[in-house]
Amino acid sequence: MEANRKEKLVLWFSELGIEDVPLVGGKSASLGEMYQHLSSKGVKIPNGFAITARAYHYLLEANNAKQPIKDLLDGLDSSDVLDLTVRGSKVRNLIKSLEFPEDLVKEIIEAYHTLSQQYSEENTDTAVRSSATAEDLPDASFAGQQETYLNVHGVPSLLESCKKCFASLFTDRAISYREQKGFDHFTIGLSICVQKMVRSDRACSGVMFSLDTESGFQDMVFITAAYGLGENVVQGTVNPDEYYVFKPTLKQNDTEGTNFRPIVSTLVGSKDKRMIYDIGGNKLTKNIPVPLELQRMLCLTDDEVLLLAKWACIVEDHYSQKAGTLKPMDMEWAKDGNSNELFLVQARPETVHSQTNASILKNYVLGDTSSSKVLVRGHSVGQRIGSGKICIVNDVKQIADFIPGTVLVTEMTDPDWAPVMSKAAAIITNSGGRTCHAAIVSRELGIPCVVGTGNGTDLLQDVDTVTVDCSAGSEGLVWKGEIPFSIEETNLTSIPEVKTRLMMIVGNPDNAFEFCRIPNQGIGLARMEFIVNSSIHIHPLALVDYPNGAAKDRTVKRLIDERTYRYSNKSDFFVDQLAEGIGKIAAAFYPKPVVVRMSDFKTNEYANLIGGTTYEPVEDNPMLGWRGASRYYHPDYERGFALECAAIRKVRDVFGLSNVVVMIPFCRTVEEGKKVLETMAKYGLSKGVNGLKVYAMCEIPSNVLLADEFLSDDLFDGFSIGSNDLTQLTLGLDRDAGSLAHIGNELNPAVKKLFEMVINVANAKGKYIGICGQGPSDFPELAEWLVEKGIHSIALNPDSVLKTLLVVAKKEQSMASQS
């Protein structure tokens, strides 16, 4: 029976499983696996059949074609682009000239008619995709090297597409890849997947991964989406929408009956064109422009994003269980514009981070940029840095002009570019998102890449040398000139464990997925104002009062409208952006505590936000002015604080990230603390409800002197020492005045005495006590002293964690030996 099955020329999805890769390739085998085992779990897979690899070999054998192909490839130098192009073209033409055996034609036609009948159509439209037998393996990515044909209907068109697919086993990029990986050209076969088309040309489609593609963070589903057929997203010819969904709290909906909606990040892409069926034209598909109003909208609803993310979890769990180890997955999805249903149309193992040694932490550090400037910005791919001379290649026909070792700059890449991409120092493209071809190949090759720059080919036209920096988060930067950089490697298996909780200070949410790999016990300080400054830019009251208040000024209104065009209620923009920023940080470190400090802008900093001057007084000394707790209950800012509370509520109650702890800054008096808690409760944040803890910054001498009252059970759950402000207020220093810096710092005896006093009170009362100022990052001896005095946690800058951890470990060992 099994031997007979190996000789079959056509097999249906219902007959296939992942173990059938040798028969039908990775794509068809995976679709069969999901069709058989996951349809019952609600995952929708369009039906189809596979024309087997046996059919491919049968075609070559029936036409005695193997030896002529070997002769054409004999002596090939795959690094010679021109030689590769000429020989590849001859092989493909040879295969396309072969005659299909009659029995093979008969079986293909019968299967196609059966599929058409299943969908009640005379000649149903299909997607015809190549599926190589070495494709979609965990340690090799052949995806995209062979051809795909969409909107294929009718027997003549199907047979022609099949012949082109068979020939595409010898595309230039496929030949080059097999040569590089050491695969024999004839031990690999090609199957063809014939699948019912999803009419995403009338809706949208995209790609999703069951991890973050840049950092490898495993608790996220990353989804991209654009209008029309999916080829534009895969090829990188559009900048798609992007969504992140947090898996652990999404899964709790099924396991614990919760109703969390953890879409922790959304980004609107330009999506300026859509691929549709070409009715009556010479081609099967064509691109048309997308109206501006649709470009500025997200093309998926929240419910659809959550359903796709749920499917991603189901697929990953199934393949992981089957493999006996975690198996992150790379999937393609499509929405049918006729039925409004979602479908999965492909799934394969993720091939970059799954092959990375997770015990080695590699950190790229850019050198001094003071004498340079940023020329181009886009989406970063990975976290590497590279530099070299610019080489602009506008068309794939010109790739022979590419100079190895230079920085490739182009509109976009597709699989035809593969032979030269491996030789680039870095890659920059005008188009594409983080799941486009250039991004996928760059990750696999370990090459720094910035995609979606918009006009990089124009801006870099007269530039000689650049440095491509992907180390600073989601935004990739292209710097003028060659900037030195270093690579720091840490073996995480050799890191000692310590009792003192070493936490981190994080502002930028874009770095959170990478920072969470550093040994830590959570976040001791997440600065809300960083998110406001980087993602919102608008004073909260200008949004609350819109279209009145500050928005009466036409310039202010225009700036608000440009940033909030998707929102009729402008306050929702503030809440959503702030919640997403906090949510990414909280998700990265979940379930460890993430201490989020409510806004601590000074009045001059608030005034710098769009519309800010309308609401902020001019103060001679903003450092000691209307800041922190004193704003929250004040009638002139309370409405803005209500938005901050709404964002925290969304993170905890909607995203399910109950690990978020609220921290109140610059609370001068006990009475002020009580007013803040009353105001928080007014806006739905009550201490103790759903486990909510509320800490206060200990950064004013009054906090130390009245610590017993501040840490009473009806006020704050703990203190985090703000060493910067407490130092300046103890010594009477302006921390921004460089001429006074020599007078003292956190090591000053008076400052340390206050530290010790509040640590003792907190420990006596059984309350949390940590420190989140700059001091322990700058002075290792201060960290040692704090451990000795009984501090619970030390929050550090990410680049100080590992060195401080070693200092703390040594101190704890010393204390243990003396006790």
Side-chain angles (χ1 to χ4, degrees):
M1 178 70 178
E2 182 64 26
N4 183 51
R5 191 165 178 270
K6 288 181 179 179
E7 294 300 313
K8 285 197 170 185
L9 303 178
V10 170
L11 288 168
W12 286 87
F13 288 175
S14 58
E15 301 175 274
L16 295 172
I18 196 61
E19 64 279 357
D20 291 315
V21 170
L23 300 182
V24 296
K27 192 177 284 98
S28 297
S30 185
L31 283 167
E33 179 76 18
M34 293 191 296
Y35 190 85
Q36 281 201 69
H37 299 288
L38 301 185
S39 296
S40 61
K41 297 183 179 182
V43 180
K44 294 183 178 179
I45 314 292
N47 198 13
F49 58 89
I51 301 168
T52 66
R54 175 63 197 138
Y56 162 75
H57 289 296
Y58 180 32
L59 173 67
L60 298 188
E61 292 163 4
N63 288 272
N64 297 312
K66 284 190 177 182
Q67 190 58 48
I69 294 173
K70 287 181 179 179
D71 293 341
L72 286 171
L73 295 177
D74 185 41
L76 169 69
D77 178 4
S78 63
S79 64
D80 184 335
V81 175
L82 287 176
D83 187 34
L84 179 64
T85 301
V86 170
R87 291 174 186 252
S89 177
K90 288 181 178 178
V91 172
R92 292 191 297 276
N93 286 335
L94 186 154
I95 294 174
K96 284 187 282 189
S97 70
L98 303 179
E99 289 293 327
F100 273 20
E102 289 185 12
D103 52 343
L104 174 58
V105 172
K106 180 182 178 182
E107 289 204 35
I108 293 173
I109 292 173
E110 286 179 354
Y112 176 66
H113 284 158
T114 300
L115 184 66
S116 296
Q117 290 168 10
Q118 181 181 340
Y119 288 95
S120 303
E121 296 173 348
E122 181 177 354
N123 289 303
T124 195
D125 48 346
T126 59
V128 180
R129 294 185 171 94
S130 307
S131 181
T133 55
E135 184 181 53
D136 298 340
L137 301 180
D139 56 352
S141 177
F142 284 73
Q145 290 185 16
Q146 284 80 45
E147 298 297 345
T148 290
Y149 298 95
L150 306 178
N151 185 26
V152 177
H153 53 276
V155 169
S157 183
L158 175 59
L159 293 175
E160 180 185 0
S161 297
C162 288
K163 193 171 286 189
K164 289 179 180 177
C165 280
F166 282 143
S168 74
L169 188 59
F170 289 90
T171 57
D172 298 348
R173 70 250 186 189
I175 296 171
S176 174
Y177 190 85
R178 288 195 295 270
E179 291 276 335
Q180 291 172 16
K181 291 288 184 178
F183 287 97
D184 181 82
H185 293 295
F186 292 96
T187 57
I188 294 173
L190 189 115
S191 167
I192 297 172
C193 173
V194 181
Q195 186 179 31
K196 168 62 181 171
M197 274 288 292
V198 177
R199 292 303 302 267
S200 57
D201 61 309
R202 296 178 175 176
C204 55
S205 57
V207 174
M208 65 177 172
F209 288 79
S210 61
L211 48 57
D212 173 44
T213 54
E214 305 316 310
S215 66
F217 180 59
Q218 294 172 349
D219 282 343
M220 284 291 169
V221 175
F222 176 57
I223 302 170
T224 63
Y227 298 115
L229 301 172
E231 292 303 293
N232 282 339
V233 176
V234 174
Q235 293 173 4
T237 60
V238 295
N239 295 324
D241 297 337
E242 297 180 357
Y243 310 83
Y244 280 104
V245 183
F246 187 53
K247 291 193 289 190
T249 55
L250 179 68
K251 288 183 175 182
Q252 287 176 26
N253 293 341
D254 290 327
T255 60
E256 301 178 22
T258 54
N259 190 32
F260 296 133
R261 300 172 66 80
I263 306 173
V264 300
S265 179
T266 58
L267 178 68
V268 180
S270 57
K271 311 181 298 294
D272 57 351
K273 58 185 172 183
R274 71 191 298 164
M275 184 177 287
I276 64 170
Y277 285 11
D278 187 10
I279 307 300
N282 294 325
K283 296 183 178 180
L284 301 174
T285 61
K286 65 179 180 181
N287 276 306
I288 60 171
V290 174
L292 182 60
E293 59 269 23
L294 286 180
Q295 291 182 40
R296 303 180 80 179
M297 294 172 59
L298 292 165
C299 54
L300 286 172
T301 67
D302 284 358
D303 285 344
E304 290 168 338
V305 171
L306 293 169
L307 179 59
L308 286 173
K310 180 179 179 179
W311 288 357
C313 293
I314 291 172
V315 171
E316 181 184 69
D317 289 347
H318 175 79
Y319 280 92
S320 298
Q321 184 176 13
K322 193 139 189 169
T325 185
L326 181 66
K327 188 69 68 175
M329 298 297 290
D330 168 1
M331 294 150 278
E332 294 180 25
W333 62 269
K335 179 181 177 181
D336 193 292
N338 293 336
S339 66
N340 285 325
E341 293 178 289
L342 291 168
F343 295 89
L344 284 190
V345 295
Q346 280 196 53
R348 51 185 166 258
E350 190 272 342
T351 59
V352 177
H353 294 288
S354 59
Q355 304 301 308
T356 301
N357 186 350
S359 65
I360 301 297
L361 183 65
K362 186 177 287 188
N363 184 36
Y364 283 72
V365 182
L366 189 65
D368 182 17
T369 60
S370 59
S371 60
S372 182
K373 65 177 181 178
V374 175
L375 302 175
V376 173
R377 300 172 187 267
H379 300 292
S380 66
V381 177
Q383 290 95 31
R384 297 177 183 243
I385 301 172
S387 59
K389 290 184 177 295
I390 287 290
C391 185
I392 298 175
V393 182
N394 290 310
D395 191 276
V396 70
K397 296 175 183 177
Q398 302 167 347
I399 62 171
D401 298 333
F402 176 74
I403 303 169
T406 60
V407 176
L408 173 63
V409 184
T410 188
E411 173 64 32
M412 60 183 175
T413 69
D414 60 30
D416 288 324
W417 291 78
V420 300
M421 293 176 74
S422 61
K423 303 171 186 175
I427 296 172
I428 302 167
T429 70
N430 291 349
S431 304
R434 288 186 293 148
T435 57
C436 71
H437 176 267
I440 292 170
V441 173
S442 295
R443 279 190 209 99
E444 182 177 306
L445 295 173
I447 295 173
C449 176
V450 176
V451 299
T453 62
N455 54 354
T457 51
D458 294 332
L459 294 177
L460 300 174
Q461 193 72 45
D462 299 318
V463 177
D464 181 63
T465 303
V466 296
T467 298
V468 179
D469 177 20
C470 298
S471 68
S474 62
E475 185 176 48
L477 305 176
V478 180
W479 295 85
K480 184 177 181 180
E482 184 172 346
I483 301 173
F485 64 91
S486 59
I487 305 173
E488 301 171 350
E489 286 195 8
T490 304
N491 188 338
L492 299 179
T493 60
S494 63
I495 298 296
E497 293 186 6
V498 294
K499 294 180 180 178
T500 307
R501 283 182 275 172
L502 294 189
M503 306 175 83
M504 276 193 266
I505 300 170
V506 172
N508 186 354
D510 291 337
N511 293 329
F513 298 160
E514 183 65 25
F515 285 160
C516 71
R517 293 188 60 213
I518 300 171
N520 71 87
Q521 291 299 315
I523 296 295
L525 174 62
R527 297 186 177 100
M528 187 178 283
E529 53 271 15
F530 184 96
I531 300 168
V532 174
N533 250 339
S534 61
S535 300
I536 299 174
H537 303 282
I538 306 168
H539 196 289
L541 294 178
L543 295 167
V544 172
D545 288 342
Y546 184 94
N548 299 310
K552 286 184 176 180
D553 180 285
R554 275 192 283 180
T555 300
V556 171
K557 184 177 183 299
R558 177 179 57 79
L559 292 172
I560 292 175
D561 289 343
E562 287 174 355
R563 291 197 160 273
T564 65
Y565 58 83
R566 288 197 297 120
Y567 291 84
S568 55
N569 182 341
K570 303 303 181 183
S571 296
D572 289 345
F573 169 78
F574 187 95
V575 173
D576 287 354
Q577 292 296 306
L578 186 55
E580 289 185 6
I582 296 169
K584 285 182 78 172
I585 297 173
F589 292 85
Y590 182 88
K592 300 170 185 175
V594 171
V595 181
V596 178
R597 186 178 68 187
M598 305 303 274
S599 66
D600 193 27
F601 281 124
K602 286 72 176 175
T603 50
N604 58 324
E605 294 167 337
Y606 265 119
N608 287 332
L609 297 173
I610 295 169
T613 54
T614 301
Y615 303 100
E616 299 300 324
V618 177
E619 296 181 321
D620 292 332
N621 191 350
M623 187 71 71
L624 298 179
W626 190 38
R627 61 176 285 204
S630 62
R631 296 180 66 96
Y632 304 157
Y633 59 86
H634 196 288
D636 287 346
Y637 185 74
E638 183 181 329
R639 294 174 302 147
F641 184 63
L643 301 188
E644 297 179 30
C645 291
I648 295 288
R649 235 176 31 246
K650 182 173 182 177
V651 172
R652 288 176 54 86
D653 299 341
V654 178
F655 298 166
L657 296 167
S658 55
N659 59 322
V660 166
V661 177
V662 169
M663 185 156 67
I664 306 301
F666 223 74
C667 186
R668 293 174 169 95
T669 69
V670 170
E671 292 73 21
E672 191 166 63
K674 292 178 180 177
K675 288 180 180 178
V676 170
L677 291 184
E678 290 170 1
T679 306
M680 288 175 59
K682 178 179 176 181
Y683 295 109
L685 284 180
S686 296
K687 185 169 79 82
V689 175
N690 191 23
L692 176 64
K693 292 182 179 179
V694 182
Y695 297 161
M697 293 284 290
C698 179
E699 53 191 343
I700 307 170
S702 62
N703 300 145
V704 179
L705 297 172
L706 298 178
D708 192 69
E709 295 179 53
F710 277 104
L711 294 178
S712 63
D713 289 340
D714 63 346
L715 202 50
F716 295 119
D717 296 305
F719 259 156
S720 183
I721 299 169
S723 60
N724 298 352
D725 275 357
L726 188 55
T727 298
Q728 73 166 346
L729 293 174
T730 301
L731 299 177
L733 297 173
D734 179 352
R735 72 184 188 199
D736 294 328
S739 60
L740 301 177
H742 66 284
I743 293 177
N745 52 41
E746 290 90 339
L747 298 176
N748 182 278
V751 177
K752 289 173 70 176
K753 188 171 184 65
L754 291 182
F755 288 174
E756 185 174 5
M757 287 171 62
V758 73
I759 290 171
N760 289 340
V761 173
N763 282 328
K765 296 179 73 68
K767 293 295 185 80
Y768 168 84
I769 181 69
I771 186 168
C772 63
Q774 186 69 25
S777 293
D778 291 344
F779 306 113
E781 61 269 38
L782 178 61
E784 286 186 289
W785 182 84
L786 289 166
V787 171
E788 185 178 312
K789 296 304 176 183
I791 197 84
H792 295 179
S793 74
I794 301 174
L796 302 151
N797 297 327
D799 60 0
S800 301
V801 171
L802 293 174
K803 67 179 181 182
T804 305
L805 189 151
L806 298 177
V807 169
V808 170
K810 186 176 180 180
K811 182 64 178 178
E812 288 184 353
Q813 290 169 3
S814 173
M815 291 170 61
S817 65
Q818 295 172 11
S819 61

